[in-house]
Amino acid sequence: MNTAAAIVRTYWLESKLEFLKNLRLPVFSLSTLLFPVMFYLMFGLAFGGGPIGSVPRPLYFAVAYSAFGVVGACLFGFGANVAIERGQGWMLLRRAFPAPPLAYFVAKMFMATAFSLAIIVILLGLAVLAGGASLGLADLVRVVPVLLAGTLPFSAMGLALGTVCGPNSAPAVINLVYLPMAFAGGMWIPVEFLPTTIQAIAPYLPTYHYAQLALGAVGAGDGNVAAHLVVLGLVTAACLAGASVFYSRKP
Amino acid sequence: MNHRLQAMGDPNIAASLANVTKRYRAITALDDVSLDIRAGEAVAVLGPNGAGKTTAVGLLLGTLRPDAGHVRVLGGDPTGRRCRQRIGAMLQISGVPATLRVREHVDLFRSYYPAPLDRETIIAAAGLGGLEHRLYGKLSGGEKQRLHLALALCGKPDLLFLDEPTSSLDVESRRALWQEIRAVIDAGRTVVLTTHNIEEADALADRIVLLDRGKIIASGTPTEIKRATAASRISAVTTLATCAIGKLPGVTKVHRDARRTEIFASSPEPVVRALLGMDHDLTDLEVSRTTLEEAFLTLVRPTTGAARSDGPAYVDSRT
């Protein structure tokens, strides 16, 4: 086996095992997959009602709750896992072996993306099958990549939280960050229907910018694509910088 | 110093610490320690908790950097990837993901090496046959340690570090794991084992290095260590002051509990003669050979007047 093939094989194995490891953990896999689906069924489909702006309600909420699910998969899949594995000494053990350090992060990224894709497929599938939304290939090509791109800023945020939090406090801290941020960012209820105070906070939250970008791909959202991209880029950079500082202090 | 420089380039030296000091804030974990590990030997670094054993392993593994001195492993710097590919390690902190199977863990770790040992050989060497599909989280304590041994063997290591491999195990699992470790040593690999269990050091190692509070206090084959520390234990009920007994010839340690006085001495006869001469009311006299465990405690510097966490209070009569 030549070197390049060996490296690819290591990265592939790390990614596959990272995925399997989390899939076999019901507390992660079930809550990551089921919460967005459950919320969508309850608040997106069961209520019914007219379109939001020009977008049919089932499609609007399928995108909003997909974005909510992607953020969860990243914060928990990346963040909580990093905190727990730091606590177990898994990082320290890897350092004593010739394990490529980057593969650890690539594998987590792969895993978060795979779970995100599963959430997106389920919710958009429900929007079509149960909500009667019409989704062409052109729509999918626009919205799915935007939703998946959300794994970048929120994996970075998860990594930062995972390097700051202790293994026991991480899941609680992440929930305290995740749920209010999803709500106030307009992932559960369209931001224009939120109380005005929360509407004023929303632009300071990365979830708001991500939701606006994703909704923009189906014709909703405010259309300030460049501003949303800049904010999410800055959040990614800040989180990665924070994570590397904390990681170097306390691996 | 010359000897040391010579040793560093010597292909027969698998690993060495040369005048190494490592501190954690106010605590000096290793204090000017020099140690050569010869190729093919199995060395047990023996010492009580807090002696600096894990620090020594961390330095040799390259996960810690020394504050002073030099660390050489297989002729190079231990932090290098090339060096790391030729060593294997079982660490004390070694939680691996619970929801992966034995076989998956082994395959992942094999992928880190250009020419790994084949899976069947690793599974057999670690005694994990039949458990390939078991999740790590479902393994018993002994089986978990076997998996860690398996992971350490994946890269056909020239040098193997076993940091307290059996300290968390019950006696039965410990003895069972010794068989696998013994087989690895017999295959000619260089092994550095840390333990606070003298029986383990005696059972597995060619050479024992006694480490106490960051310093090497003795080094030799298990037989040499036993001979050097060969002593007798004299026990009696006496009213004599412990400091007076401590001044008797050959006495290394005196300890008194509520009733009995325990005396360790290199040879018992002069001490017994003197004791009987000094205290005519002395009763319950017993003389026995010390066990290896007691020999070990004699060598390890006791905390004067204070209780040791792992045994009764020992009063050093020499101070």
Side-chain angles (χ1 to χ4, degrees), chain A residues 10 13-14 17 20-21 24-25 88-90 92-100, chain B residues 63 81 84-85 89 93 95-97 99-101 104 107-109 111-113 151:
Chain A
T10 298
L13 262 179
E14 294 259 17
L17 294 180
L20 283 176
K21 175 181 100 184
R24 289 170 188 163
L25 212 62
Q88 287 173 335
W90 176 229
L92 199 68
L93 184 78
R94 290 175 59 93
R95 277 172 62 204
F97 286 83
Chain B
T63 55
R81 192 178 156 80
R84 202 153 285 177
Q85 283 188 327
I93 329 163
V96 309
T99 51
L100 290 181
R101 304 181 194 289
E104 291 166 340
D107 282 346
L108 177 63
F109 275 67
S111 83
Y112 298 151
Y113 301 93
L151 299 183

Side-chain angles (χ1 to χ4, degrees), chain A residues 52 55-65 186 190-192 215 218 220-221:
Chain A
I52 314 249
V55 182
R57 185 172 280 259
L59 180 60
Y60 183 100
F61 280 110
V63 173
Y65 282 111
V191 73
E192 52 267 36
L215 290 166
V218 289

Side-chain angles (χ1 to χ4, degrees), chain B residues 4 76 83 136 144 146 158:
Chain B
R4 211 115 300 284
C83 178
Y136 178 77
K144 281 182 176 149
R146 283 165 192 279
D158 294 324

